[in-house]
Amino acid sequence: MTSTLTHADKTGLYETRIDELLAEMTLTEKVGQLTQFSGFHDVTGPAPAEWRAAQKHHLLQNGLIGSMLNVVGVEAVRNYQKFAVENSRLGIPMMFAYDVIHGQKTMCPIPLAEAASWDLNLIRKSARVAAIEAAAQGLNWTFAPMVDVSREPRWGRVMEGAGEDPYLGSRIAEARVKGFQGDNLSANDTILATIKHFAAYGFAEAGKEYNTAEIGTTTLHNMVLPPFDAALKNANPRSVMNAFNTVNGIPGTGDAALQRDWLKGNQKFDGVVVSDWGSALEMIAHGFVADEREAAKVAILAGSDIDMESYVYLDHLENLVESGEVDEAVIDDAVRRVLRVKFELGLFDDPYRYIDSEREQTRLFTESHLNTALAMARKSIVLLKNERGALPLSADKKIALIGALAVDQDAPLGNWRADADAHSAMSIMDGFDEAGLDYVYSYGVTVQLGDSHFEYPVHVNYENRDGFDEAVAIARDMDQVVLVVGETARMSGEGRSRADIGLPGLQQELLEAIHAVNPNIVLIVMSGRPLVLSWADANVPAIVQVWHLGHRSGGAITDVLTGKENPSGKLPMSFPRSVGQIPIYYNHLNTGRPGPRDEVTWAHYSDEKNSPLYAFGHGLSYTWFEYSDLTTRLEIDHVDVSFRVKNAGHRDGEEVAQLYIRDRVASIARPVKELKGFEKVHLSAGETKRIHLKLKGDELGFFNTQGNFVIEQGEFDVFVGGTSDAPLHTMFNLSDEHIMSFGAK
Ligand code: NOJ
């Protein structure tokens, strides 16, 4: 096979071989291909009954397990693969999946942080590094990227996504899928990507993990589905994972309209749909099916091909076919998909393709991968506030470095750290030392009692103030305080929803105690989600959002604090002023009473502002950028939006120039602003560049209440700038003739 073919080109090449294989397979063997078991390397869902583990060996020996998750490392993978290939009748190789979310051994920043870079090349490269390392450990399938749009910072899984915007989320979904899958899926260092969770998992009510979502047709099509659509059209992910939650009362695993009609029908998706962990079984708890047998029937008919850890296919599918309740053609279609991706991975040519001890020795945690992690970390940092010349730090000031997270080598690894070694990241103190900075350190207060990474529940420190006095004394003596606060790794991620997203534990109290003696505070916020930082914003001169940045966290943060790196990150999610504002997002509808008015009857809170503390797209630099000369020109197949950006300061820097539109009047109310383009541009001090961005038909239309894509004539506002609050404005008029020349979607 030539390596110049992309996997999309290859689709169709294997069908005859799949036909032959299907003809040879018994029904039991077919069901085996649709069954996925977990190994013991990691626990990423509720533990199965012990007898299932024993059953696994019997099944493996007979070729009755199609794929596994949580088996990691060449030796372990080889053992299982040997079972499947050498002992079973047909010798069909297995696939090995793992949650390789932001790295395998080398941790890059968490996905939400990477999204803040708006740097698609780097994001793709980061996924590429993860794929190389995962493949070197015998894996050939990742359950990433999560492409769930979310407006819910209380939801711990926002750390795993790209934030609140479907346009940015779409570009990032494409970049990450391409990074994992590369140009040639059968190469031994590329792996299958999974877009998840299908669908609307990010709309869990009140940000509570696994919770219900209620979504209207227009929100589903305009907000939730676009990143799935973009990835499917432009990056060809070979797998999709459905979702635990119900959407409008239907659990994702049993949703035929989404899986059969939209995904496999409209989108012509010919890869494989995998359930989430036990999600077929969970349809019983949802009250959607009566028992396991019905769960199996509903899931397979709805288009969920592989059953991860529910065992309902294993136990019931054969009987369902024999009784005539499920047509064997349905099973064949699901099996065909599984076999197809196995062919595409090259596993039929060589089942041991990903299993190579030498690569496991040489391709993990390399200098070059760590350099990518550092580059990615630098670009992911967002400077939220910088007044009174607080940053960059000036060399002649005496610095107090305070906070348990400043020396934490584990928190920066974030959640979903795959096979990274615990406590192996560069801390901020390590970064200060490497840069030769002079400082005095005090921990102030611990964030978590006990340091076990796997500890659940996390014991947040609400009691122990032993370190307060020393930290306050040091802060009093120094010119400048660098105070590091936020969340440990396990405070965000799956199952880590929080109702209060202020600084956990006693950190707010410490901040206020230090502020009382020395207000010259640079606040470093390490977290897996937007936190409520209103007090800090009102009281400290500088705030830097550093998320969980991976292995090179401390180096990247130090580079930004010292000015070696000019920060360029922009928020992929709004930061609320208070929890009561949530969900708060920039692309909201206007309401009939948008205000502001000097009276009670308009859309507002009587005890809080409407605006977020920090808006989507916000992020400062040590220089500043001026936008001017905004024009639009209607071309044959697009609208050309052009403007000038000037670096008006004295330092070189990078700016994310953002383009937003508003469709003023339409057949459904449209958002007050929607991101429709951006460009990350490097500008030397004093330099000006003209930027051209194209608005195509896809960007100007929307899905209506019937779920149909329409572009409507009329006036469009255009805004450009370095934030969603972009003030530079113009408008254009789109006629029916233009729409005709743009062509239908
Ligand atoms: C549950 C999570 O929702 C999903 O994203 C993950 O891939 C699976 N567990 C497997 O670990």
Side-chain angles (χ1 to χ4, degrees):
M1 171 181 322
T2 91
S3 59
T4 49
L5 287 176
T6 66
H7 28 275
D9 296 324
K10 285 186 206 154
T11 302
L13 291 186
Y14 307 112
E15 303 310 302
T16 318
R17 291 172 73 184
I18 296 172
D19 286 339
E20 287 163 9
L21 205 47
L22 273 172
E24 272 189 73
M25 292 172 82
T26 63
L27 184 54
T28 317
E29 285 164 343
K30 289 177 187 173
V31 171
Q33 289 304 307
L34 307 183
T35 299
Q36 184 172 93
F37 263 71
S38 181
F40 295 108
H41 185 82
D42 203 349
V43 184
T44 56
E50 271 180 31
W51 68 270
R52 287 289 182 190
Q55 185 192 28
K56 182 164 66 192
H57 286 274
H58 161 75
L59 294 169
L60 277 171
Q61 214 134 21
N62 292 291
L64 299 180
I65 297 181
S67 54
M68 295 188 74
L69 77 155
N70 297 337
V71 177
V72 177
V74 159
E75 201 191 327
V77 174
R78 184 186 286 121
N79 286 342
Y80 280 114
Q81 192 69 306
K82 256 171 111 89
F83 259 122
V85 174
E86 292 178 15
N87 297 330
S88 67
R89 198 175 73 87
L90 296 171
I92 299 177
M94 288 200 290
M95 290 188 289
F96 293 89
Y98 195 36
D99 291 291
V100 183
I101 307 296
H102 55 108
Q104 171 66 7
K105 201 77 180 172
T106 308
M107 286 300 113
C108 281
I110 57 170
L112 186 63
E114 290 194 355
S117 75
W118 300 51
D119 189 328
L120 301 175
N121 290 333
L122 213 43
I123 290 173
R124 183 172 172 167
K125 198 166 168 192
S126 157
R128 175 92 195 95
V129 164
I132 291 170
E133 294 198 351
Q137 290 209 283
L139 301 164
N140 44 39
W141 186 4
T142 178
F143 295 140
M146 185 185 100
V147 304
D148 297 318
V149 167
S150 184
R151 302 160 169 177
E152 257 302 347
R154 288 173 295 185
W155 188 48
R157 293 199 82 167
V158 291
M159 58 77 58
E160 198 180 336
E164 76 189 34
D165 184 64
Y167 182 87
L168 179 62
S170 296
R171 303 293 80 80
I172 291 175
E174 293 159 0
R176 299 195 75 216
V177 170
K178 287 179 185 167
F180 288 127
Q181 294 194 163
D183 297 328
N184 176 10
L185 203 50
S186 67
N188 62 14
D189 61 0
T190 56
I191 59 177
L192 218 68
T194 307
I195 50 173
K196 68 185 187 183
H197 303 85
F198 192 61
Y201 193 47
F203 276 69
E205 273 180 6
K208 189 169 70 178
E209 184 77 290
Y210 315 122
N211 205 6
T212 312
E214 289 291 327
I215 300 262
T217 310
T218 58
T219 303
L220 180 71
H221 285 277
N222 293 309
M223 294 291 167
V224 171
L225 293 180
F228 288 96
D229 175 67
L232 289 163
K233 290 208 167 74
N234 305 323
N236 196 19
R238 304 309 288 141
S239 101
V240 174
M241 183 185 288
N242 55 39
F244 288 124
N245 59 299
T246 57
V247 178
N248 305 331
I250 315 283
T253 313
D255 197 328
L258 280 176
Q259 297 175 112
R260 283 252 174 251
D261 301 344
W262 190 85
L263 181 64
K264 294 181 174 176
N266 296 356
Q267 296 282 335
K268 302 190 172 47
F269 175 66
D270 67 354
V272 68
V273 177
V274 60
S275 80
D276 205 338
W277 181 297
S279 62
L281 199 59
E282 289 178 15
M283 291 196 290
I284 301 174
H286 280 300
F288 190 67
V289 297
D291 53 28
E292 296 185 9
R293 191 168 186 279
E294 194 185 352
K297 178 178 165 183
V298 166
I300 193 76
L301 291 178
S304 182
D305 301 315
I306 294 182
D307 172 9
M308 180 203 296
E309 283 289 329
S310 277
Y311 317 106
V312 294
Y313 285 4
L314 186 63
D315 293 347
H316 302 286
L317 271 192
E318 274 184 76
N319 181 263
L320 283 162
V321 171
E322 278 151 13
S323 70
E325 287 166 85
V326 171
D327 193 331
E328 190 161 350
V330 172
I331 310 288
D332 284 354
D333 172 68
V335 177
R336 175 178 293 280
R337 291 165 183 275
V338 175
L339 297 177
R340 186 180 289 137
V341 295
K342 289 185 177 181
F343 272 110
E344 289 172 355
L345 283 167
L347 291 174
F348 281 98
D349 297 333
D350 177 8
Y352 301 100
R353 173 155 291 188
Y354 294 83
I355 304 173
D356 177 339
S357 311
E358 199 201 310
R359 274 191 294 119
E360 189 169 43
Q361 293 304 316
T362 56
R363 302 204 73 179
L364 299 178
F365 213 59
T366 62
E367 205 48 43
S368 117
H369 292 176
L370 285 165
N371 286 340
T372 301
L374 176 61
M376 191 74 254
R378 284 179 176 145
K379 302 292 177 201
S380 303
I381 295 170
V382 186
L383 181 60
L384 295 176
K385 178 178 180 188
N386 190 18
E387 287 174 1
R388 308 202 294 268
L391 285 173
L393 296 173
S394 72
D396 56 348
K397 287 200 176 138
K398 291 190 292 171
I399 299 171
L401 177 63
I402 298 176
L405 287 171
V407 293
D408 196 322
Q409 295 175 318
D410 195 72
L413 298 175
N415 207 327
W416 290 124
R417 70 227 350 238
D419 211 35
D421 297 327
H423 304 284
S424 60
M426 189 177 188
S427 70
I428 296 178
M429 183 189 268
D430 295 334
F432 274 32
D433 290 343
E434 194 184 75
L437 298 188
D438 212 7
Y439 64 93
V440 180
Y441 173 73
S442 178
Y443 77 95
V445 71
T446 51
V447 182
Q448 192 176 322
L449 297 171
D451 79 344
S452 165
H453 171 67
F454 291 106
E455 182 178 281
Y456 188 77
V458 170
H459 292 289
V460 180
N461 176 21
Y462 291 107
E463 302 123 44
N464 188 336
R465 294 176 176 79
D466 290 354
F468 266 54
D469 289 350
E470 182 192 86
V472 169
I474 286 172
R476 186 183 287 118
D477 282 353
M478 298 288 152
D479 305 316
Q480 176 77 64
V481 178
V482 174
L483 176 58
V484 187
V485 293
E487 299 181 317
T488 59
R490 288 288 159 145
M491 289 178 173
S492 59
E494 185 177 353
R496 313 283 165 159
S497 294
R498 292 177 56 205
D500 171 1
I501 54 168
L503 297 175
L506 298 171
Q507 295 179 96
Q508 179 67 32
E509 204 178 306
L510 178 71
L511 166 61
E512 291 179 31
I514 287 176
H515 181 266
V517 299
N518 187 349
N520 293 327
I521 297 173
V522 171
L523 194 72
I524 311 287
V525 183
M526 200 178 268
S527 64
R529 54 155 67 81
L531 297 178
V532 169
L533 301 171
S534 298
W535 190 93
D537 179 73
N539 290 282
V540 309
I543 306 179
V544 191
Q545 177 65 34
V546 302
W547 319 102
H548 292 138
L549 285 180
H551 268 111
R552 285 292 175 255
S553 170
I557 295 167
T558 308
D559 288 347
V560 163
L561 295 184
T562 56
K564 185 173 164 195
E565 171 78 18
N566 192 352
S568 60
K570 302 279 185 177
L571 292 178
M573 266 189 103
S574 308
F575 273 45
R577 294 176 187 275
S578 46
V579 171
Q581 290 182 307
I582 300 170
I584 182 165
Y585 47 98
Y586 85 96
N587 48 5
H588 57 83
L589 302 186
N590 202 31
T591 80
R593 295 188 179 186
R597 286 193 209 146
D598 233 359
E599 55 183 81
V600 66
T601 50
W602 66 284
H604 74 299
Y605 301 101
S606 40
D607 59 352
E608 185 55 277
K609 291 183 179 163
N610 277 356
S611 61
L613 184 63
Y614 302 117
F616 174 85
H618 168 77
L620 304 172
S621 160
Y622 295 149
T623 185
W624 68 94
F625 301 94
E626 288 171 2
Y627 289 74
S628 62
D629 200 11
L630 171 62
T631 62
T632 57
R633 217 180 44 228
L634 286 134
E635 304 284 0
I636 301 282
D637 67 346
H638 69 275
V639 181
D640 177 76
V641 178
S642 147
F643 51 96
R644 279 144 58 101
V645 188
K646 178 177 183 189
N647 180 345
H650 305 294
R651 282 171 185 264
D652 299 351
E654 279 184 301
E655 168 73 330
V656 181
Q658 302 160 41
L659 161 63
Y660 296 85
I661 64 163
R662 177 176 183 181
D663 184 350
R664 283 192 187 171
V665 180
S667 56
I668 57 168
R670 304 294 298 131
V672 294
K673 265 179 197 175
E674 290 181 282
L675 181 73
K676 291 296 176 184
F678 64 87
E679 188 169 316
K680 191 156 187 174
V681 52
H682 182 278
L683 291 168
S684 305
E687 188 183 356
T688 302
K689 273 190 190 154
R690 177 164 280 284
I691 309 236
H692 287 269
L693 294 172
K694 282 183 181 174
L695 286 171
K696 297 208 156 205
D698 282 6
E699 274 98 41
L700 295 172
F702 56 87
F703 289 89
N704 64 17
T705 47
Q706 280 80 51
N708 296 324
F709 188 78
V710 291
I711 310 175
E712 294 179 351
Q713 60 78 35
E715 291 177 330
F716 285 78
D717 291 303
V718 175
F719 307 88
V720 299
T723 159
S724 60
D725 273 343
L728 196 59
H729 168 254
T730 188
M731 49 87 49
F732 64 87
N733 210 316
L734 194 67
S735 66
D736 283 330
E737 290 72 46
H738 288 128
I739 296 170
M740 294 285 281
S741 77
F742 283 1
K745 190 178 164 110

